[in-house]
């Protein structure tokens, strides 16, 4: 309902949105907007909701470019689940997968000047957990999760008593 999208209103139960897009970079903005809105429904403030949107955006860009090799016939499936105080995003591509442990460190040596290769670093910076799972014959699944700190920690400037 439209009432569920009222800013500042947090849902009592889980709300799920699923987007299936072709591997076209121009569609990333749609996923970003949906991710940011779902984070807002989960009760995140504007800054944290934006950060969630950016993290999901990066995961989708990786799925489109690296997973599906920009093939518009291959789909990226994005599942967003918001609960009061938390959000989970699952991004699935149809690619061959990758070893995330073997990706070059974008903060070292020659990689500092590269214009790409920072997606995973950005994702990790903006969410609490990231899980990579290669699904044999079905592509890569990346799960991102973010949880709001307890209200007491927020009310005391981030310092728990």
């Amino acid at each position: 309902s439209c009432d569920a999208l009222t800013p500042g209103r947090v849902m009592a139960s889980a709300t799920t949105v699923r987007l299936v897009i072709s591997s076209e970079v121009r569609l990333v903005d749609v996923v970003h907007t949906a991710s940011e809105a779902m984070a807002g429904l989960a009760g995140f403030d504007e800054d944290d909701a934006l950060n969630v949107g950016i993290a999901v955006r990066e995961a989708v860009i990786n799925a489109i470019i690296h997973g599906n090799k920009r093939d518009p016939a291959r789909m990226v499936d994005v599942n967003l689940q918001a609960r009061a105080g938390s959000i989970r995003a699952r991004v699935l591509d149809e690619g061959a997968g990758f070893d995330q442990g073997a990706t070059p460190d974008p903060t070292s040596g020659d990689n500092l000047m590269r214009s790409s290769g920072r997606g995973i670093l950005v994702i990790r910076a903006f969410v609490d957990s990231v899980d990579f799972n290669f699904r044999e014959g079905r592509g890569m699944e990346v799960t991102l999760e973010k949880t709001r700190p307890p209200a007491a920690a927020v009310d005391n400037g981030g310092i728990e008593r």
Side-chain angles (χ1 to χ4, degrees), residues 7-10 32-33 35-55 87 126 146 148 154:
R9 182 183 174 131
V10 179
H32 179 127
T33 299
S35 303
E36 194 172 341
M38 289 291 282
L41 287 176
F44 289 94
D45 66 24
E46 225 175 278
D47 290 340
D48 282 337
L50 174 62
N51 290 344
V52 167
I54 291 170
I87 185 165
F126 288 146
K146 183 156 182 77
R148 280 189 351 206
V154 173

Side-chain angles (χ1 to χ4, degrees), residues 2 4 33 71 80 101 104 120 152 158:
C2 290
T33 299
D71 180 352
L80 304 167
I120 294 172

Side-chain angles (χ1 to χ4, degrees), residues 53-129:
I54 291 170
V56 174
R57 174 188 199 91
E58 288 295 327
V60 171
I61 288 171
N62 285 346
I64 290 170
I65 295 173
H66 303 294
N68 291 345
K69 308 293 186 207
R70 296 181 189 252
D71 180 352
R74 290 184 169 187
M75 298 294 116
V76 176
D77 190 330
V78 182
N79 291 280
L80 304 167
Q81 184 179 63
R83 299 181 184 276
S86 70
I87 185 165
R88 174 184 293 158
R90 282 184 339 150
V91 178
L92 302 94
D93 65 40
E94 297 177 351
F98 72 101
D99 177 1
Q100 66 95 22
T103 57
D105 179 357
T107 64
S108 70
D110 294 340
N111 297 332
L112 284 171
M113 299 310 289
R114 292 185 60 207
S115 61
S116 66
R118 291 174 176 72
I120 294 172
L121 183 71
V122 169
I123 293 168
R124 289 187 192 283
F126 288 146
V127 295
D128 299 325
S129 69

